[in-house]
Amino acid sequence: MAQQILISERMDLSRVPDTVEELIEQVKESCKVAGGIRLQYKDVDFGGTFVNLNSTSMIKDLTTIKVIPSATETLILEFVESDLDTSSISTHTDDTVILSSSSSEKLRTEPWPKEFNIPQFSFETEGQLEKGNAEYTKDQTRLTPTSKMLSNILERLAEKIFSYKAYPSDADLSDVAEGLTRKHPCLRQPDPFNESYGWKLRLKTKMSNYRTQLKSHGLASELLVNTLKSKSREDPVPKPAKNNKKARRGEANYYPQTSSENPESLELERISLLTELKKRNNEKTVREKMARTFEFRRKEVVDKKPDIKNLLERWPGLFQMEEFLRVTAVPLLTRFMAQLDKHSPQLLEIIRKKGGTTKAKTAIILEFLDQVGVGFVLE
């Protein structure tokens, strides 16, 4: 899947145009967008859903505008307040959710990939692999890596794996081993398990040693929480494996690094957050406070294991899309819309078979969809 490029530009408007057509022309000229585009705005009365923009009177301060060009790239326009009598517009891709950069730099931002991307090794190792791959293609000669080369390969793979998971499963390590032998066939080994089983065993041992190395330097709290020093002192015979705290499926930031702020100030921030959540059009402030208190909140969830009722009382902002992305690294809205596109033909068939009030309410919409096509509406 091609990676979308983040584009940011500034567009100064002396006034909001009277018609949508004028606004479209100004956006196309400023953002250098060719072809036809349409605009949508985030309607707070409908839970932040994007609705087609039919009148510029809907544009107010801090209104978010989505630009959908005919190309695959989608832009977001955010109208923000300015010291001048102009509206500032910034653009970014549709599937980008901006979290607080100060707090999210040390967090994992991507889930485990469907196909593991083998990282670049050292210059010397890459040269030997390139030569070995050429010989393997020629006469199926396997490469026997030196100790230095083997160490470099395992070290780089361990770093890459840790960027996704601290405790990868056997299936995850199998994916990495198979990806390695697929990219560098000269490293294949004569075993009945896809010729990569030996590399899986090496990676399993390396990840264990890599975690021990990080724990010895105190670099990862999600590893330190599983040391004997962090176990309950009430147990007469403490064991490292008992009550092992590690991420479950889909949890990308299970036990993040402790911040420099003290718990008292973060608790005051939590109380302030409860007030901010009651205000309308306050998503930016809520997002910043949720990012700032993430480590504090996450440790409370992991250590105290509160029930859902208690979580709703203390952290109502936890049940938001931005928080879902922070914990799972999955863009929920993008994933939902993609699945909706996939199943939209079947859903429309069900709606067409309905009668009575449902048929009367959807008749005009279905007629419009037949004229313009489903893909245009459900982008």
Side-chain angles (χ1 to χ4, degrees), residues 117-141:
N117 185 26
I118 302 301
Q120 194 83 4
F121 303 120
S122 68
F123 177 78
E124 181 181 352
T125 300
E126 286 291 339
Q128 294 180 58
L129 288 174
E130 184 178 353
K131 183 179 178 181
N133 290 333
E135 292 180 357
Y136 183 86
T137 304
K138 182 179 178 181
D139 53 16
Q140 303 294 300
T141 301

Side-chain angles (χ1 to χ4, degrees), residues 23-74:
L23 179 60
I24 288 177
E25 289 303 320
Q26 293 188 32
V27 170
K28 289 172 65 176
E29 181 180 353
S30 176
C31 299
K32 304 297 188 293
V33 178
I37 64 173
R38 59 191 179 93
L39 305 179
Q40 293 183 338
Y41 74 99
K42 183 178 287 187
D43 195 328
V44 295
D45 295 329
F46 287 89
T49 304
F50 281 102
V51 180
N52 289 334
L53 180 65
N54 298 317
S55 172
T56 55
S57 62
M58 300 295 181
I59 299 177
K60 299 179 176 59
D61 288 339
L62 303 178
T63 298
T64 300
I65 302 296
K66 178 189 289 186
V67 179
I68 306 177
S70 55
T72 56
E73 186 180 61
T74 300

Side-chain angles (χ1 to χ4, degrees), residues 219-232:
L219 296 177
S221 59
E222 59 187 321
L223 304 178
L224 294 173
V225 74
N226 290 324
T227 59
L228 274 174
K229 294 182 183 177
S230 302
K231 299 298 176 181
S232 174

Side-chain angles (χ1 to χ4, degrees), residues 97 99 107 253 273 286-287 289-295 297-298 301 315-330:
V97 177
L99 300 177
L107 300 180
N253 299 298
L273 179 61
V286 170
R287 187 164 58 242
K289 288 183 176 292
M290 289 293 288
R292 183 183 175 189
T293 58
F294 176 71
E295 296 90 350
R297 175 174 61 259
R298 197 67 178 134
V301 171
W315 302 101
L318 179 64
F319 302 87
Q320 294 181 337
M321 280 195 301
E322 288 84 357
E323 195 63 25
F324 185 88
L325 174 63
R326 204 191 318 272
V327 174
T328 66
V330 174

Side-chain angles (χ1 to χ4, degrees), residues 179-198:
L180 177 65
T181 54
R182 191 184 308 115
K183 183 176 181 180
H184 302 293
C186 63
L187 296 178
R188 291 176 181 174
Q189 299 179 336
D191 61 63
F193 302 99
N194 297 325
E195 300 181 308
S196 60
Y197 186 69

